[in-house]
Amino acid sequence: MLNNKIILMRKIFIYLILIMFSYSSCTKNEENLNIDLNKYPLDTHQANSELDKWILQNFNTPWNINVVYRFDRYYTDINRNIAAIDLAKVKPSLQMVVDGFTGPYTKLAGEAFGKVYFPKLWVLYGSGSYNSDGTMVLGSMSNARMLNLYDLNNLDPNNGASIRRRLRTVHHEFMHSLNQTVPIPLAYQSISGADYDPSWAGKSEDQVRPLGFVSPYSSSAYTEDFAEMLAHIVVEGPVWYNNYLLQADQTGYDRLKAKEAIVYAYLLNNFNVDLYELQAEVQNTLKTIYNAQDPADLSTGFSFRLSNGLVNTITFDPTASHYTTYGSSAAFNTVWNNYVTRTTGLGRVPDNLILTFTSANTMTLRVNYHNPTSGAVLQADYDFLYTTNANTGVTLFIKKLPEGTTTQHSNGQTSVMLPGFNEFLLPYLTNNIFVASYLPATIAPGNPLYRSFAGFSVNGVSTNYFYGPVTYK
Amino acid sequence: MRTNLIYILIAFLFVACQKEATEYVFDKKPEERMAERNQELRSKLVSSADGWKVFIRTSAKGSGYGFYMKFNQDETVTMYSDWNNATATTSKTSTYSIRFIMNTSLIFDTYNYIGIMQDPQGSVNGGTQPNGLQSDIEFEYIRSSGDSIVLRGKKYQNLMYMLKATASEASEYNGGSYLNSINSFKNYFLTKINNYVAISSDGANYKMGMVFSPDTKTVSVQAQKPDKSFVSAVQGFGYSIDGAFFTNAIEILNIKFVSAKQKDANTMVLIDSQGKEYPVLQNPVPLADLIDLFGSAKTYNSIYVFGSASPVTAATLPPGVTSDFSAEFNGLISRFAGTSRTIDTLEFRLLNSTTALVKIWYWSGTTHFLADASFNYTYVDGTITLTNYTPAYSNANWTTRIAQIGSFVNWLQSGPFKADWVSSSIPGSPTLAGLYKKDQPNNFFYGRVRKQ
């Protein structure tokens, strides 16, 4: 009985095992699920064109940089419409990177720097990547590894400004890359602390300059600010940057200089790269290879000199030969001739005018005249106040009262001199809005006389102007 | 226990027997099928030594665009496009790739003419930033036959049709004939008006009118059913080397039109999905009944004749038409001329639902005068009945000039009139309409139509 029971139990045990194995045999065979990756269709391209060889030589081999120029939606914002880069723009874009980015950094920091720090994946697109507010992304940097450049179909290698704008993007994005490796010093974000505002798109430089930002975009976040500072100093160059500083008020100036110092120290201490040497290298590339033009140096502009009280005199002598050579304004000549006729009728003959800028906001108008009867040569002075916008040159003259008390001022108030002045010279100067500039425009940069003549034209009426030889303080 | 062990070993043997191959739901492993499908599209594309005629539709305006593409083994593609004159005559080479992204995909991965429509910049294609004309450069492979491939844009889901080009077509594209055929096609529809094809459907005959708009790259068709209701359709088209390909078939009255083919300067046919050709014909007058278009609140409300203002010339009845009214008209002109006045415009206008105006604009010296009179009217079944003649509607000139207007007043009151189209024997004549005397069908005032 017991034996039977044991045998039964054994049978049950065996069946159970068999059933268990039969279930296990239902599981799928793993071997058949193995994917043979040799047969997997990889997303590789034939890379045998001249362009591909050139990229291999200039990016893959020296830097282990992989350049993706063939459109791939998955390297960018997948939901946006972004154009592919034109084949003809690939090499100029990358040549710009070699000339203005990898070259200068390598020269200053050595090969090892680039092998470590250059982003290893560069992705190129033809159009910008547009945001919903109408602005567009020109570049992006991810994890110190992937650098995207956009809007390259509009790159023109023969246009320095076009290269400059895109090279600025490259340096901007690379600074993000470095920041993703070595964080931005904490002191940086406190400089403009509360003034960061993500909605930057509608702002102008004039709005952000007093807050100490180098561009509207840099006001969006301290990380962008840091990258913009470097990119503007290095790529826009010293002339542009100094102009920007010149236009800043004291707060803006101080903040910009404080930020500049931190950027300088950051690069030097962490990467042994001197910001100003980098600037010089990049500027050299821009000017020798891409013929980039710097903006006019504001500090040598006539309106800047005038508004800072650096101009001494401007002389209008109607008999001078330069009015024959370079022309004169019929509209102003009418005013002058009317003045001469009126004053001659009263017994005195005006000969010429001298505007003496006695300070940054005061000017004395001197009329040199003679008495035809006695032959005496005399002067009549009139005091004016003026304001000049350093950027636009827009200038306003206001009669300064009370009038001065010198003999020349008294001469101006005599019954023979005052009527002509009141009827013609005073309304001409005070009723018009002028633009101060180097005049005439026909004396262009390169002419030895350039900047030796200056004057004022009525704003918006370029045919109504007066000018003469200018002397500086 | 030993027997137990044996049983277990036997069980293992059975398990080992289960090691036979698994049945696939599809016939091969996924990676093999992916690679095969990629290869199928790739070899198809490069197999056509004479390239492909390619047509796409864009979502922004429904416009169609035509291309010619030659795919090469080295992943380059050379193309022409009907985008503009330059792209139709100058080829451009870029790269393409075939990648498996959920499905085998053809990607035009560097910029070429097909990228113009996809470009987000409105300055490039006239579309709206940041979506351009809402088109694609990535297309998934849907199906193919011996001489055609169908793909679909991955974002905007518009179909791309590829039709294998012949050797002669390829040489025409490469020889710069694409632009000529585009211009020839445009010219056909520029010089011929009231175009239609005759079709039969469900036992009824129709004249299906069509308008090709070269600016929007769309074609609209319309036909009037026996019950006077309209059926219509609008589709994009791209130019082909010998006509136009509709980027979606025009489905109307149970017929699917797929393309238009121009056989010579004056011969055009539409082709349906069965390959049947329908010659394009020109109706002497517009296909729609005038009564559907003419009324104070309809497409047209004015029939007018005109001269010119500088130098001043008298109004003339359009040529190519014979009407007894011309004697009445010439009398009117000459009576005004007899007093040194020149009529430069004569107009009949349905001012509102009850009032019709007759306006005579005339020059006296260098001054332009208007003389007008009004009528009450009814317009029923195409018949216009004028009553309540009221001279001098906006000023007194009608009364002052009544001697020169003379018998024209009687003519105006000799209705009722029937309004209908007027056909001219001059080819390419503008659309004309007229007021026919009910009792004298050869006596009708006519001119161009407009909305005033």
Side-chain angles (χ1 to χ4, degrees), chain B residues 257-447:
Chain B
F257 291 102
V258 296
S259 63
K261 182 173 182 178
Q262 187 172 19
K263 298 190 163 177
D264 64 50
N266 292 308
T267 315
M268 182 79 72
V269 295
L270 294 193
I271 300 174
D272 71 8
S273 54
Q274 309 299 317
K276 185 182 170 192
E277 296 187 351
Y278 299 77
V280 176
L281 306 169
Q282 283 76 39
N283 213 39
V285 296
L287 292 164
D289 292 334
L290 181 62
I291 192 168
D292 292 326
L293 299 178
F294 190 62
S296 60
K298 292 184 179 173
T299 310
Y300 308 119
N301 68 351
S302 162
I303 301 172
Y304 71 109
V305 293
F306 60 96
S308 74
S310 176
V312 174
T313 61
T316 52
L317 289 166
V321 180
T322 308
S323 167
D324 294 347
F325 176 73
S326 60
E328 182 63 51
F329 180 80
N330 292 337
L332 179 68
I333 297 287
S334 66
R335 286 193 297 276
F336 269 76
T339 62
S340 298
R341 291 179 173 83
T342 306
I343 296 178
D344 71 335
T345 305
L346 173 60
E347 179 186 21
F348 175 79
R349 184 194 300 183
L350 301 180
L351 180 68
N352 54 40
S353 59
T354 56
T355 306
L357 294 183
V358 176
K359 296 185 154 200
I360 301 171
W361 283 96
Y362 59 94
W363 290 92
S364 179
T366 56
T367 312
H368 207 202
F369 291 98
L370 168 66
D372 54 3
S374 71
F375 294 88
N376 288 353
Y377 78 93
T378 59
Y379 187 15
V380 180
D381 290 339
T383 299
I384 293 179
T385 309
L386 301 178
T387 55
N388 191 23
Y389 162 58
T390 309
Y393 174 74
S394 60
N395 58 44
N397 288 339
W398 186 279
T399 314
T400 320
R401 297 269 75 80
I402 195 68
Q404 285 79 49
I405 295 166
S407 59
F408 182 52
V409 172
N410 304 331
W411 192 90
L412 288 169
Q413 293 174 292
S414 64
F417 302 98
K418 181 173 169 46
D420 205 350
W421 300 113
V422 173
S423 73
S424 167
S425 61
I426 310 286
S429 165
T431 301
L432 303 176
L435 293 179
Y436 294 77
K437 276 192 179 187
K438 271 266 187 179
D439 53 349
Q440 296 175 43
N442 291 326
N443 192 334
F444 53 93
F445 161 69
Y446 69 98

Side-chain angles (χ1 to χ4, degrees), chain A residues 14 70-71 73 81 85, chain B residues 7 92 96 109 111 138 156:
Chain A
I14 288 163
R70 295 175 72 159
F71 181 84
R73 185 179 289 281
N81 287 324
I85 189 172
Chain B
Y7 283 131
K92 183 171 171 65
Y96 71 93
D109 58 9
Y111 204 77
E138 299 154 292
Y156 290 104

Side-chain angles (χ1 to χ4, degrees), chain B residues 147-166:
Chain B
D147 57 0
S148 71
I149 308 174
V150 180
L151 302 102
R152 183 166 54 213
K154 297 200 75 154
K155 179 160 185 176
Y156 290 104
Q157 302 283 304
N158 292 310
L159 292 177
M160 166 189 262
Y161 295 94
M162 292 193 175
L163 309 175
K164 198 174 259 186
T166 63

